[in-house]
């Protein structure tokens, strides 16, 4: 249920993506102006990650999650009835600000899981988030085809509302947390980043694999399939993108490797799998959609494994600061996701599919170098952490 709630929360960010033309036309505007709606949503989400998620370390997470989910319902309804384009952009920014419950649920999972199952449970939640991202665009397109673009937001408001009341009853009681003044809490996000050296390699590996390469790959797949010889429609491209669900589902079990003390080794193997898939995609995917789909599935498995293993390790760094650690991690990913999307367009214009895949492969090699350079210190930290948890 937590995975479902997390997937719905992050899915709220993506309902609009395939509907931009329909939304802009409904207000008598050019399709290009619809891109402003995505920017408004992302700005709101970035602010929510930085200013709200850290509150999970000082407030009761069950109440905070419930509050954010109810506020998301209100924002979704507001989007569905927005009378003009400006009001819609403002409502979407507010939706981005409050639909961050998935990033509060993730640290909560670290709290309520036993050390022997933390990685496995984090993998389940992470898989839910990934599936939410991948399916939101397909579902919104189908609902909009049957009704109109406003209907998907009313549908999402209903589901989020039901989930809020189910989740608040299911989340177990957790101990009272240390109270910290809000300005000091926000300052401590930067202090945590500065004083947790093990955090930096995690963030940089994730920035490369998820932030840059994930966005380069899937953005360029859209470019490839929309051009000759494929010339796929938006809906057909969306179906190909759903291939990534296979990888997300398969990777849900990967978190248990961190529970067994194999997380660092498994991260390196997963990065290598991603690199092999990218190289093979560069060589063969342009001529066959079947090869592209197979490689996309294996790439998604490797990429999702890296994300799960990194977040599993993240929540063992400092149990008292899991929300602040998650803020550092997710804001970093958010920044590099924007960079990845920008690089995809730039590289495609320079040299098409080959240039894009070369950029992705180079980025993964950088990630492997960072992994190798931090291998000994990461292994030593994990051994120390597992020993401490056994003693507790």
């Amino acid at each position: 249920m937590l995975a479902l709630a997390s997937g719905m929360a992050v899915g709220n960010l993506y309902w609009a993506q395939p509907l931009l033309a329909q939304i802009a036309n409904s207000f008598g505007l050019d399709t290009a102006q619809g891109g402003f709606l995505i920017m408004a949503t992302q700005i709101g989400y970035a602010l929510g990650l930085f200013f709200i998620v850290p509150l999970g370390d000082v407030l009761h997470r069950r109440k905070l999650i419930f509050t954010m989910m109810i506020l998301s319902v209100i924002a979704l309804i507001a989007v569905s009835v927005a009378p003009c384009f400006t009001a819609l952009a403002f409502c979407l920014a507010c939706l981005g600000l409050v639909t961050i419950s998935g990033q509060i649920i993730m640290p909560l999972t670290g709290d309520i899981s036993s050390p022997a199952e933390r990685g496995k449970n984090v993998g389940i939640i992470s898989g839910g988030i990934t599936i939410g991202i991948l399916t939101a665009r397909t579902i919104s397109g189908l609902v909009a085809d049957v009704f109109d673009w406003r209907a998907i937001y009313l549908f999402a408001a209903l589901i989020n509302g039901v989930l809020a009341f189910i989740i608040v009853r299911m989340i177990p009681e957790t101990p009272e947390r240390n109270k910290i003044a809000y300005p000091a809490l926000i300052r401590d996000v930067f202090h945590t980043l500065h004083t947790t050296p093990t955090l930096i390699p995690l963030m940089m590996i994730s920035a490369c694999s998820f932030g840059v390469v994930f966005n380069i790959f899937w953005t360029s797949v859209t470019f490839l399939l929309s051009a000759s010889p494929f010339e796929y429609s938006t809906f057909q491209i969306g179906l190909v993108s759903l291939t990534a669900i296979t990888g997300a589902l398969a990777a849900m079990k990967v978190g248990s490797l961190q529970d067994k003390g194999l997380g660092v080794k498994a991260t390196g193997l997963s990065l290598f799998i991603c690199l092999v898939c990218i190289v093979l995609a560069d060589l063969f995917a342009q001529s066959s959609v079947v090869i592209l789909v197979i490689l996309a599935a294996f790439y998604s498995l490797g990429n999702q494994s890296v994300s799960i293993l990194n977040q599993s390790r993240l929540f063992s760094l400092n149990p008292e600061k899991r929300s602040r650690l998650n803020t550092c991690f997710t804001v970093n990913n958010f920044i590099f996701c924007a960079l990845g999307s920008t690089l995809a367009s730039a590289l495609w214009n320079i040299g098409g599919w080959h240039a894009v895949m070369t950029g992705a492969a180079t980025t993964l090699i950088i990630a492997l170098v960072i992994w190798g350079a931090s291998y000994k210190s990461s292994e030593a930290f994990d051994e120390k952490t597992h020993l401490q948890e056994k003693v507790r």
Side-chain angles (χ1 to χ4, degrees):
M1 291 304 298
L2 289 173
L4 178 59
S6 300
M8 282 297 299
V10 76
N12 290 335
L13 300 170
Y14 293 93
W15 301 126
Q17 282 199 352
L19 310 178
L20 294 181
Q22 188 180 130
I23 293 173
N25 291 337
S26 71
F27 290 108
L29 301 172
D30 294 333
T31 301
Q33 291 180 271
F36 182 73
L37 301 177
I38 301 300
M39 184 178 71
T41 309
Q42 290 177 335
I43 290 172
Y45 188 63
L47 293 173
L49 289 175
F50 188 78
F51 290 106
I52 298 177
V53 169
L55 289 170
D57 284 338
V58 296
L59 300 180
H60 197 293
R61 285 201 178 108
R62 180 169 69 174
K63 295 177 181 177
L64 182 60
I65 291 168
F66 179 74
T67 301
M68 290 300 106
M69 293 183 75
I70 294 301
L71 289 175
S72 295
V73 171
I74 296 171
L76 286 163
I77 294 172
V79 169
S80 72
V81 298
C84 64
F85 188 81
T86 303
L88 176 62
F90 175 76
C91 292
L92 282 170
C94 292
L95 176 62
L97 180 71
V98 297
T99 190
I100 40 83
S101 53
Q103 300 304 334
I104 304 171
I105 288 172
M106 190 71 81
L108 171 69
T109 304
D111 286 352
I112 63 178
S113 300
S114 67
E117 294 188 329
R118 185 180 298 130
K120 181 186 75 172
N121 292 342
V122 167
I124 293 171
I125 305 300
S126 182
I129 289 175
T130 301
I131 292 169
I133 293 172
L134 295 170
T135 58
R137 285 171 278 202
T138 303
I139 293 172
S140 66
L142 291 174
V143 172
D145 284 344
V146 177
F147 302 101
D148 69 359
W149 68 265
R150 297 179 187 270
I152 188 61
Y153 288 98
L154 288 173
F155 170 77
L158 175 63
I159 300 299
N160 277 270
V162 171
L163 279 173
F165 286 97
I166 294 174
I167 291 297
V168 75
R169 294 178 178 275
M170 294 184 66
I171 295 175
E173 290 290 342
T174 53
E176 287 294 321
R177 313 189 71 82
N178 295 328
K179 300 300 180 184
I180 305 173
Y182 183 72
L185 178 69
I186 298 302
R187 286 196 302 271
D188 196 57
V189 172
F190 296 99
H191 181 70
T192 300
L193 179 62
H194 178 67
T195 58
T196 314
T198 315
L199 176 60
I200 302 299
L202 281 178
M203 289 174 57
M204 294 313 299
I205 290 171
S206 183
C208 291
S209 65
F210 178 77
V212 176
V213 178
F214 178 84
N215 284 277
I216 281 180
F217 181 80
W218 286 111
T219 302
S220 61
V221 164
T222 300
F223 295 155
L224 177 67
L225 294 179
S226 62
S228 179
F230 301 106
E231 297 183 349
Y232 280 12
S233 67
T234 302
F235 179 69
Q236 289 173 307
I237 294 171
L239 290 178
V240 172
S241 299
L242 289 179
T243 305
I245 292 179
T246 305
L249 290 171
M252 282 186 174
K253 299 288 187 181
V254 170
S256 60
L257 295 175
Q258 177 65 27
D259 300 330
K260 297 174 182 177
L262 300 173
V264 180
K265 293 183 178 68
T267 299
L269 177 60
S270 299
L271 286 170
F272 182 73
I273 290 171
C274 290
L275 179 59
V276 170
C277 290
I278 292 296
V279 171
L280 292 176
D282 183 24
L283 296 173
F284 303 111
Q286 282 183 284
S287 59
S288 171
V289 73
V290 174
I291 293 175
L292 175 63
V293 165
I294 293 170
L295 290 173
F298 280 99
Y299 165 74
S300 299
L301 170 63
N303 180 75
Q304 184 68 8
S305 296
V306 174
S307 295
I308 290 170
L309 291 164
N310 278 342
Q311 286 202 291
S312 299
R313 294 192 65 240
L314 180 78
F315 296 136
S316 66
L317 299 182
N318 190 333
E320 299 298 319
K321 296 185 177 184
R322 284 186 175 130
S323 288
R324 278 163 281 185
L325 289 167
N326 201 43
T327 293
C328 295
F329 190 80
T330 52
V331 170
N332 175 71
N333 281 348
F334 184 87
I335 292 169
F336 280 91
C337 280
L339 176 62
S341 298
T342 303
L343 278 174
S345 298
L347 291 171
W348 185 270
N349 290 331
I350 292 171
W353 180 255
H354 176 67
V356 171
M357 291 298 101
T358 300
T362 302
T363 306
L364 285 169
I365 290 171
I366 293 171
L368 279 165
V369 170
I370 296 170
W371 170 81
S374 61
Y375 179 83
K376 288 185 178 179
S377 60
S378 298
E379 281 275 79
F381 179 85
D382 280 7
E383 288 177 8
K384 179 181 176 182
T385 301
H386 282 292
L387 181 60
Q388 289 173 342
E389 290 180 338
K390 284 181 179 179
V391 169
R392 282 198 292 266

